[in-house]
Amino acid sequence: MKYTEDHEWLRVESTPEGDIVVVGITEHAATQLGDVVFVELPEVETVVATGDEVVVIESVKAASDILAPVDGEIIEVNAKLSDKPGLVNDDPTGAAWFFKMKIDDLSVLDDFMDEDEYNDMIG
Amino acid sequence: MADLRRTCLYDLHEELGAKLVPFAGYEMPVQYPMGVLKEHLHTRAQAGLFDVSHMGQVILRPKGDMAALEAAFEALMPVAVTGLAEGRQRYGLFTNARGGILDDLMFANRGDHLFVVVNAACKETDIAHMTAHLGPVAKVEPVTDRALLALQGPEAEAVLAALVPQVAEMRFMDVIAVDTVFGALWISRSGYSGEDGFEISLPEASAPDFARNLLAHPAVAPIGLGARDSLRLEAGLCLYGHDIDENTTPVAAGLSWAIQKARRRGGAREGGFPGAERILQELAEGAPALRVGFHPETRAPMREGTVIWDAPEGGRNVGGITSGGYGPSVEAPIAMGYVPQDCAEPGTRLWGELRGKRLPVTVSELPFRPSTYKR
């Protein structure tokens, strides 16, 4: 698992069509956000660039964006989150993944933090 | 947060794991480890304990007789003070010459004086306002050595009665003073959650002990400002500085119920308060814009500042949201705000602009959830 400075986790999954990246937010981020009550997901097949706002998360406190961590195409979204946004608090690193992306070059993931580096960052 | 003040329960908040944030010049708990959603639901199901010691407590002590103080206090508000029985509390509103609201408050007749509770953010200006206008007839005494706690929810009576049996006899908006091992408690049966409950003013020195005693009860959880906000929003209650301010009149804000007959046209003590001309006219003819509830039709919460349109595209910008978010008990997003009279009928469909998209909302009655006061 890789981690971004925006508290996203990225997990590579191998599929028959090639490698894809699954994106979610960390336990730390979910705790900071508070109880999530709404998740707005992107359309499948959207082509996104690094830094694009792709997901809106509303907690009881405020709205937050999730940014595309890398360039690529959204190939699947976790529709379960539309009905059960609270999954983001219950299982942020498992059942509450947000979207899957197809990216051209997996080596871009090397730039992100590993778990130890991320834990150091959040102190 | 060096310049922020702390209440006498600060250490207890820290010990309970509160997340502390700046609010009205104080460092206050916004939530505890339970989290806003569960704190909200716990208050509705059992009982929640809130530290509201940042609010302003003020005693108005008559220099002569109470009648002169009551008459002078009435001259600041479109609300009847004269006639409020001893041991009773009432909701009040300071108004300005344009009929706008300077602050909303609670005041109680405690026999030989009035006890007033005002919003934290307004307390200095309120005290100055009262001192300037009541000076000839009353001493305005800010109470600076007492904490203020709110215990709200269906279990509040049972929990507090275990320490103070007299509270079981109180009705909504009754006030009593009781001498206890925690010192003199000034208790009102009121609050700002839409639940039955109490507000308790007590000496700072004994407040932490008293709070610990309440928290020792399994039905009681500490509740932060986050849930206080979602509770009052569901109850359709105004937050000063957001839903009401110097530019909103009591009639526009849907607070006409707070203006007794005696102060209205034809009443025994008609007018005679700042902004009377406008407020009396609006009482008779209606205000141009009204505070209403909104039910967003999608699951996306709409917050303060969301612009309201009367059409999905084109059309008029008819108003805006002044408070909004997710209602944990109604299990849906809810909001309130102002729209013109011709858009204010419950059931009217309007559109809120969220992240560049207009999403439908339905105008609804307030409150979103019936209150459970013990009348």
Side-chain angles (χ1 to χ4, degrees), chain B residues 294 306-310 316-321 339 350-352 361:
Chain B
F294 299 112
T306 303
V307 171
I308 300 289
W309 298 84
D310 68 353
R316 291 181 298 155
N317 165 6
V318 290
I321 286 175
V339 293
L350 300 170
W351 285 263
V361 301

Side-chain angles (χ1 to χ4, degrees), chain B:
Chain B
M1 297 205 265
D3 297 335
L4 295 172
R5 301 169 69 180
R6 293 173 173 180
T7 75
C8 66
L9 295 175
Y10 179 88
D11 290 346
L12 180 60
H13 299 319
E14 283 218 308
E15 189 183 315
L16 293 168
K19 185 177 173 195
L20 295 150
V21 299
F23 182 83
Y26 284 79
E27 208 173 342
M28 296 300 289
V30 66
Q31 66 169 85
Y32 296 88
M34 189 186 264
V36 176
L37 195 77
K38 292 193 182 78
E39 289 174 29
H40 176 115
L41 296 173
H42 183 92
T43 305
R44 294 256 187 260
Q46 299 189 60
L49 181 67
F50 305 72
D51 178 14
V52 288
S53 304
H54 57 311
M55 296 186 78
Q57 305 179 60
V58 184
I59 285 174
L60 306 179
R61 208 176 292 283
K63 290 178 175 168
D65 59 2
M66 274 288 275
L69 165 58
E70 288 165 355
F73 202 37
E74 265 196 6
L76 301 180
M77 304 193 286
V79 174
V81 182
T82 301
L84 178 66
E86 181 175 346
R88 293 288 292 163
Q89 176 176 272
R90 193 166 273 173
Y91 178 73
L93 300 154
F94 290 141
T95 48
N96 63 23
R98 293 176 290 116
I101 300 170
L102 294 174
D103 197 10
D104 63 340
L105 57 130
M106 289 287 186
F107 63 97
N109 180 342
R110 298 191 358 118
D112 59 358
H113 65 271
L114 298 177
F115 177 58
V116 183
V117 178
V118 300
N119 282 303
C122 302
K123 65 182 174 186
E124 269 81 29
T125 50
D126 286 341
I127 288 165
H129 184 63
M130 289 188 283
T131 305
H133 291 93
L134 306 176
V137 295
K139 274 195 289 182
V140 176
E141 303 173 356
V143 178
T144 55
D145 57 355
R146 294 177 77 87
L148 191 64
L149 301 179
L151 185 67
Q152 303 278 294
E155 297 294 323
E157 179 188 297
V159 170
L160 188 57
L163 298 175
V164 190
Q166 296 92 320
V167 301
E169 305 302 317
M170 298 173 73
R171 290 181 302 129
F172 182 58
M173 295 295 237
D174 277 351
V175 297
I176 59 170
V178 192
D179 282 318
T180 69
V181 292
F182 303 102
L185 307 187
W186 303 345
I187 302 172
S188 72
R189 192 156 199 161
S190 63
Y192 221 59
S193 63
E195 293 296 320
D196 179 28
F198 302 88
E199 290 195 346
I200 306 125
S201 167
L202 77 168
E204 282 187 336
S206 55
D209 264 358
F210 181 74
R212 281 176 210 277
N213 257 274
L214 295 176
L215 289 168
H217 196 292
V220 181
I223 310 296
L225 292 175
R228 182 171 162 82
D229 193 49
S230 55
L231 287 161
R232 70 92 200 161
L233 177 61
E234 280 185 345
L237 298 168
C238 292
L239 179 61
Y240 191 80
H242 300 260
D243 308 302
I244 49 176
D245 60 28
E246 293 178 14
N247 299 311
T248 55
T249 65
V251 181
L255 299 173
S256 301
W257 57 266
I259 306 175
Q260 287 76 18
K261 235 174 164 177
R263 307 303 309 278
R264 300 183 181 209
R265 277 187 189 161
R269 301 189 306 285
E270 171 185 329
F273 51 85
E277 193 182 347
R278 177 164 176 194
I279 291 170
L280 294 179
Q281 185 193 334
E282 287 189 352
L283 277 169
E285 296 163 22
L290 295 172
R291 182 172 63 99
V292 296
F294 299 112
H295 275 299
E297 291 176 24
T298 71
R299 289 183 59 119
M302 294 188 187
R303 299 179 195 273
E304 183 175 2
T306 303
V307 171
I308 300 289
W309 298 84
D310 68 353
E313 42 192 299
R316 291 181 298 155
N317 165 6
V318 290
I321 286 175
T322 51
S323 278
Y326 181 76
S329 300
V330 301
E331 296 182 328
I334 49 175
M336 51 197 196
Y338 286 83
V339 293
Q341 260 187 18
D342 64 342
C343 298
E345 190 63 33
T348 305
R349 197 175 211 209
L350 300 170
W351 285 263
E353 186 173 331
L354 204 61
R355 295 180 277 274
K357 276 181 275 183
R358 293 191 195 176
L359 301 175
V361 301
T362 310
V363 173
S364 76
E365 310 247 16
L366 293 170
F368 296 102
R369 187 180 175 283
S371 299
T372 56
Y373 308 134
K374 188 184 167 192
R375 303 267 181 195

Side-chain angles (χ1 to χ4, degrees), chain A residues 33-47:
Chain A
L33 283 174
D35 306 295
V36 173
V37 296
F38 172 75
V39 175
E40 185 174 290
L41 296 162
E43 302 273 335
V44 171
E45 294 181 0
T46 311
V47 175

